[in-house]
């Protein structure tokens, strides 16, 4: 949540900061700002809106030579938590005297009390943010100890802050330095001490290839090489952060899925210290799309490994009182490895003696520091806010895990395993064949254009796929969408179907029905007939060769034949393409949907 970039070095800081911010914009994009430090002090420019708006603002000020000559600065792109997205609330923030400028990610939970105390002492606040207290606290500390250097001042105020923070701080009295520190919110620092950022892409685009994932509560000052930390080489390819000819990252990432599927299925759990015979209960904890992948994992582990499995939304799990002991395996599923609720759920699990297995896409992320065992889902950098390829990778990795647990517990015959693995090996080509049908899929998706609501129905893994399909549509098109277990629609949701569809097929409520070859196929057909009888316009996702479905509805998307357990991977592809198509047709920015952010590092 929110993006931080800091730079100090021989070059003009502004271009480095701005190009870094652009790489981090997926983390938040409702306001942006930059502060530059030179011998004359700090100059700050900020604005509501995106980084491109900040660039316009800077272009208007291009005569200010300090903006281009300064070689030290901090920058921020924001996802508002406290206070509306306006210029005053944009970062960087300063105190009353302008000695310090700070950018902050996270939440200062006790900011109200701190602010009150500071205001009582005469400090004047200019924003509604929690972050501004940091700048005033620094100023207060400097007033109390005029001889203290910048690092000492930062260290003085940190114990006063409750909550989570990643901070980059400029001090007018420390030319050429940027002070960085974090607590429960990530910061990655270039090993040569030239840069820091809240995520790798900002560093990669500046050519940094050796980094330190800054441990909690360790203050570093940019401007000197880092010593005493574990240095990691980055092998992420810069092209991963480019559009590469696609109109948006989401489409690019959708098209990467054949390769992602190939990598994900290479995961092997046999080398991990899972103690499979010891496991008596499994939880899958996650948020958002990862939670939906977790639901599929739950069903497969339960079915094949015959273990009680519960999938829980991490924000509920962490505040519930879930039963856990040393025989419990908690699978923490998080693409970013940074989601605050999933991290806290994992910490809770460990404190109760459970073993935590993290499945993540970001090695070095915070979940990798919390978990006992880490598995890389290998989906490569995902930039679009709406998760696509990471979902497919998660589902495949969970399927492999379920197979592994079942085999280790002696519950799967070699023939069964061979059969599923053979079908799995076909997935990359099958995903590609669906991508090749994009135009056809988009023609079918036209049926949902301008709908007030789109309903999704399915059974078993088909229902879980619907949950993810509806989430994708909501996230990026802002069209109301809701997924239901098809067997449940007659217990309430069917009332949503407007009878107008009986007479007016154009205005009929669209219902996307997953009716692939499944044990419950016949029941699904009955459910389709039920909604059609009430006037719904059914868009069916069915298995290739299903002629019966074409008699029920003209709007059919066919997916290649696969085993029921792998169907969610293939059915996800048309769901993603439908959501993106509707969002684009409605004129939305699919990569940066309103109000959302890619990494939710606050509760
Ligand atoms: C945010 C993103 C979602 C994502 C969720 C969980 O809400 O917008 O796309 O599914 O966080 O993220 P994680 O990184 O933990 O998988």
């Amino acid at each position: 949540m929110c993006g931080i970039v800091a730079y100090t070095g021989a070059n003009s800081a502004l271009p480095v900061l701005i190009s870094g911010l652009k790489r981090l914009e997926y983390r938040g994009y409702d306001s942006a700002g930059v502060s530059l430090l030179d011998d004359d002090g700090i100059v700050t420019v900020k604005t509501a809106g995106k980084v491109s708006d900040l660039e316009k603002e800077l272009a208007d000020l291009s005569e200010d030579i300090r903006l281009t000559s300064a070689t030290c600065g901090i920058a921020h792109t924001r996802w508002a938590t406290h206070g509306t997205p306006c210029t005053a609330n944009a970062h960087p923030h300063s105190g009353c005297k302008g000695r310090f400028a700070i950018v902050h990610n996270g939440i200062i939970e006790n900011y109200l009390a701190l602010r009150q105390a500071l205001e009582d002492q005469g400090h004047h606040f200019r924003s509604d943010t929690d972050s501004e207290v940091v700048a005033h606290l620094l100023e207060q500390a400097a007033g109390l100890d005029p001889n203290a250097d910048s690092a000492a001042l930062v260290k003085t105020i940190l114990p006063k802050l409750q909550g989570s923070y990643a901070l980059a701080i400029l001090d007018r009295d420390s030319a050429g330095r940027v002070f960085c520190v974090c607590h429960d919110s990530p910061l990655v620092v270039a090993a040569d001490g030239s840069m820091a950022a809240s995520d790798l892409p900002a560093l990669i685009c500046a050519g940094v290839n050796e980094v330190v994932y800054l441990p909690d509560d360790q203050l570093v000052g940019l401007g000197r090489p880092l010593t005493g930390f574990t240095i990691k080489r980055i092998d992420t390819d810069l092209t991963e952060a480019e559009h590469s000819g696609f109109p948006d990252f989401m489409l690019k990432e959708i098209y990467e899925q054949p390769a992602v599927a190939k990598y994900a299925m290479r995961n092997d759990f046999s080398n991990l210290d899972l103690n499979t015979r010891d496991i008596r209960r499994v939880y899958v904890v996650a948020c958002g799309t990862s939670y939906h992948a977790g639901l599929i994992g739950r069903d497969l582990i339960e079915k094949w490994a015959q273990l009680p499995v519960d999938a829980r939304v991490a924000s509920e799990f962490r505040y519930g009182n879930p039963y856990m002991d040393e025989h419990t395996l908690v699978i923490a599923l998080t693409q970013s490895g940074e989601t605050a609720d999933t991290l806290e759920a994992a910490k809770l699990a460990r404190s109760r003696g459970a073993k935590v297995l993290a499945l993540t896409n970001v090695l070095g992320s915070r979940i990798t520091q919390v978990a006992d065992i880490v598995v890389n889902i290998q989906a490569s950098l995902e930039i679009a806010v709406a998760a696509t390829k990471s979902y497919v990778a998660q589902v495949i990795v969970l399927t492999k895990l379920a197979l592994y647990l079942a085999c280790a517990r002696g519950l799967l015959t070699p023939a069964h395993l061979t059969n599923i693995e053979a079908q799995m090996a076909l997935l990359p080509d099958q995903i590609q064949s669906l991508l090749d049908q994009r135009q056809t899929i988009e023609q079918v998706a036209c049926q949902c254009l301008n709908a007030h609501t789109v309903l999704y129905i399915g059974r078993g893994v088909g229902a879980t796929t619907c949950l993810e399909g509806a989430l994708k549509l909501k996230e990026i098109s802002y069209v109301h969408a809701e997924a239901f277990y098809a067997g449940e629609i007659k217990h309430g949701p069917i009332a949503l179907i407007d009878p107008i569809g009986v007479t007016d097929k154009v205005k009929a409520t669209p219902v996307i029905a997953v009716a692939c070859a499944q044990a419950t196929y016949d029941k699904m057909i009955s459910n389709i007939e039920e909604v059609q009888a009430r006037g719904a316009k059914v868009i069916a996702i069915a298995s290739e060769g299903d002629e019966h479905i074409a008699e029920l509805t003209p709007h059919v998307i066919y997916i290649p034949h696969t085993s029921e357990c792998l169907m969610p991977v293939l059915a996800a592809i048309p769901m993603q393409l439908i959501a993106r198509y509707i969002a684009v047709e409605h004129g939305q920015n699919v990569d940066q949907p309103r109000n959302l952010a890619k990494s939710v590092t606050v509760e």
Side-chain angles (χ1 to χ4, degrees), residues 287-290 333-337 339 342 385-387 394 475 597-598 600:
C287 303
T289 291
S290 295
L333 203 56
T334 163
Q335 186 282 130
S336 62
T339 304
T342 309
V385 166
Q394 285 170 334
E475 278 179 306
K598 182 83 183 148
V600 180

Side-chain angles (χ1 to χ4, degrees), residues 332-387:
L333 203 56
T334 163
Q335 186 282 130
S336 62
E338 278 183 32
T339 304
D341 285 320
T342 309
L343 283 168
E344 289 308 316
K347 287 183 196 165
L348 173 74
R350 286 205 62 179
S351 73
R352 300 269 184 94
K355 186 164 259 188
V356 175
L357 165 64
L359 306 188
T360 183
N361 197 26
V362 184
L363 287 183
S365 60
R366 299 184 84 76
I367 195 75
T368 65
Q369 290 148 26
V370 171
D372 295 286
I373 305 173
V374 177
V375 168
N376 183 358
I377 62 163
Q378 299 191 57
S380 73
L381 184 66
E382 188 176 65
I383 289 180
V385 166

